[in-house]
């Protein structure tokens, strides 16, 4: 945890005595497997909570293939290794078990966040192209050349989805804690909801609670464990990020990704009249954006009305 804090990182690679990759430890592992389970922070070893023998890619492969591995396997992080000459038959960029190559060296660690943020300009161009397609179809509708149903089909195929579509898939459960909750309470809520952050609610003027802050698994590592605080007694209000940026459900996936990139964070509360209605993260937004791109790739607007 102190190494993560020193490097401002949310994952570290674990190597054996020979320098070969043997595991990966993330802030999520620490939050879910240690803090949420109430394990002793002083006696719990890295080997007890890390992910052993993680999937990795070779350094000689293209980045797009590595991104494909992360998306298909829902990995936020992906180790990059190099193999010795006698093992050059391993295909670069394709996923491999880190135990497949008997003699490897750790090269680095890919983060899907950086991969996606590096492509934001390209994503924005694609969304703009599709918006122009929809606008052209709507113009034809106004002139009476297309009916409303046909334009609706084009809009559903080429319109960039908004956050409402994501929240509908997630269901009604939102990871929420109160300002009186402990860090361990928050970790347990995150684990139960399969989320890497929890929204911290504070009492509003009315009957409904308002968004007071956000607390993430990275906060658990950097602000609690590395700082020597006890998760069982530390109040989440001491270590949360107060008054986080938020959006409403009508925000597009692209605009949400851009907001994360500009703000240098990974989670985004979704609110309605200051009341939390959901939470999205960079991984969920990335997968939804890629689903949208795939859908557009197989849709040919010229066929509408044929």
């Amino acid at each position: 945890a102190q190494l993560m804090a020193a490097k401002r990182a949310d994952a570290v690679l674990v190597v054996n005595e020979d320098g070969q990759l043997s595991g990966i430890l993330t802030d999520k592992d620490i939050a879910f497997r240690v803090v949420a389970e109430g394990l002793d922070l002083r006696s719990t070893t890295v080997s007890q909570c890390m992910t052993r023998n993680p999937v990795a890619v070779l350094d000689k492969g293209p980045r797009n293939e590595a991104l494909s591995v992360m998306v298909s396997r829902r990995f936020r992080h992906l180790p990059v290794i190099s193999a010795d000459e006698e093992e050059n038959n391993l295909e670069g960029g394709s996923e491999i078990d880190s135990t497949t190559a008997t003699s490897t060296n750790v090269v680095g660690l890919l983060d899907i966040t950086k991969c996606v943020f590096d492509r934001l300009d390209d994503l924005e161009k694609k969304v703009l192209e599709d918006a122009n397609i929809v606008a052209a179809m709507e113009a034809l509708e106004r002139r009476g050349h297309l009916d409303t149903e046909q334009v609706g089909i084009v809009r559903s195929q080429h319109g960039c989805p908004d956050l409402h579509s994501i929240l509908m898939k997630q269901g009604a459960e939102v990871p929420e804690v109160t300002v009186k909750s402990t860090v361990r309470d928050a970790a347990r809520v995150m684990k139960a909801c399969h989320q890497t952050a929890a929204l911290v609610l504070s009492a509003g003027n009315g009957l409904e609670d308002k968004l007071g802050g956000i607390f993430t698994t990275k906060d658990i590592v950097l602000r609690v464990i590395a700082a020597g605080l006890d998760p069982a007694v530390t109040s989440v209000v001491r270590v949360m990020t107060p008054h986080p940026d938020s959006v409403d459900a009508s925000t597009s996936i692209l605009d949400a990704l851009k907001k994360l990139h500009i703000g240098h964070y990974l989670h985004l509360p979704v609110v309605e009249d200051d009341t939390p209605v959901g939470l999205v993260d960079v991984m969920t937004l990335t997968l939804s954006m890629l689903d949208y791109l795939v859908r557009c790739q197989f849709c040919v607007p010229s066929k509408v009305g044929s």
Side-chain angles (χ1 to χ4, degrees):
Q2 291 178 342
L3 177 60
M4 289 183 184
K7 294 182 175 293
R8 303 297 299 178
D10 41 28
V12 292
L13 297 178
V14 184
V15 297
N16 60 23
E17 295 179 353
D18 298 322
Q20 295 177 315
L21 180 65
S22 61
I24 182 172
L25 180 69
T26 69
D27 53 3
K28 181 179 177 180
D29 294 330
I30 295 175
F32 287 11
R33 299 175 181 176
V34 181
V35 177
E37 296 300 321
L39 301 184
D40 187 347
L41 296 175
R42 294 180 177 83
S43 61
T44 302
T45 63
V46 168
S47 62
Q48 290 177 262
C49 53
M50 72 179 185
T51 298
R52 296 177 179 273
N53 303 321
V55 170
V57 292
L58 296 177
D59 60 343
K60 54 188 177 182
R63 174 174 289 192
N64 284 347
E65 292 186 16
L67 178 59
S68 177
V69 172
M70 287 190 281
V71 170
S72 63
R73 302 293 293 268
R74 295 186 64 87
F75 291 157
R76 163 82 192 285
H77 304 93
L78 186 65
V80 181
I81 61 177
S82 64
D84 288 344
E85 292 184 2
E86 63 268 19
E87 302 196 68
N88 279 340
N89 60 315
L90 292 172
E91 185 179 352
S94 299
E95 66 174 278
I96 60 172
D97 189 301
S98 55
T99 60
T100 300
T102 58
S103 181
T104 61
N105 297 308
V106 175
V107 175
L109 182 66
L110 286 177
D111 186 332
I112 196 172
T113 304
K114 179 171 173 50
C115 295
V116 172
F117 287 164
D118 285 347
R119 301 294 299 274
L120 270 182
D121 288 342
D122 293 335
L123 293 175
E124 188 164 17
K125 289 178 182 177
K126 174 59 181 172
V127 171
L128 180 59
E129 290 174 1
D130 286 343
N132 290 335
I133 291 174
V134 173
M137 296 299 105
E138 290 174 339
L140 290 175
E141 178 191 19
R142 290 191 294 271
R143 295 171 187 170
H145 299 305
L146 289 177
D147 60 36
T148 302
E149 182 180 357
Q150 292 172 318
V151 175
I153 293 173
V154 174
R155 189 180 292 113
S156 66
Q157 292 173 342
H158 292 273
C160 184
D162 58 24
L163 299 185
H164 180 72
S165 63
I166 295 179
L167 298 183
M168 291 292 289
K169 294 178 182 178
Q170 287 181 341
E173 191 172 20
V174 182
E176 297 175 340
V177 296
T178 70
V179 291
K180 296 181 180 179
S181 301
T182 66
V183 169
R184 179 168 297 166
D185 293 334
R188 288 172 174 166
V189 168
M190 293 181 206
K191 183 176 182 179
C193 294
H194 306 288
Q195 294 267 20
T196 52
L199 303 181
V200 184
L201 304 184
S202 59
N205 295 326
L207 297 177
E208 293 185 338
D209 290 330
K210 303 298 183 181
L211 178 63
I214 187 170
F215 185 61
T216 71
T217 52
K218 188 171 183 178
D219 294 331
I220 290 178
V221 174
L222 271 58
R223 299 179 179 180
V224 181
I225 299 178
L229 302 179
D230 185 352
V233 298
T234 300
S235 174
V236 72
V237 73
R238 289 183 55 192
V239 286
M240 71 178 186
T241 298
H243 312 299
D245 287 341
S246 60
V247 293
D248 59 48
S250 64
T251 303
S252 72
I253 294 174
L254 176 65
D255 287 340
L257 281 170
K258 289 168 62 177
K259 195 171 187 68
L260 291 179
H261 179 49
I262 294 172
H264 302 288
Y265 38 73
L266 303 175
H267 303 84
L268 196 57
V270 184
V271 301
E272 183 176 317
D273 297 327
D274 293 330
T275 300
V277 295
L279 175 68
V280 294
D281 60 28
V282 67
M283 177 64 80
T284 303
L285 292 172
T286 298
L287 295 176
S288 298
M289 175 60 76
L290 292 176
D291 285 343
Y292 154 72
L293 295 175
V294 170
R295 186 176 70 247
C296 291
Q297 181 180 354
F298 290 100
C299 295
V300 183
S302 59
K303 291 184 179 181
V304 176
S306 60

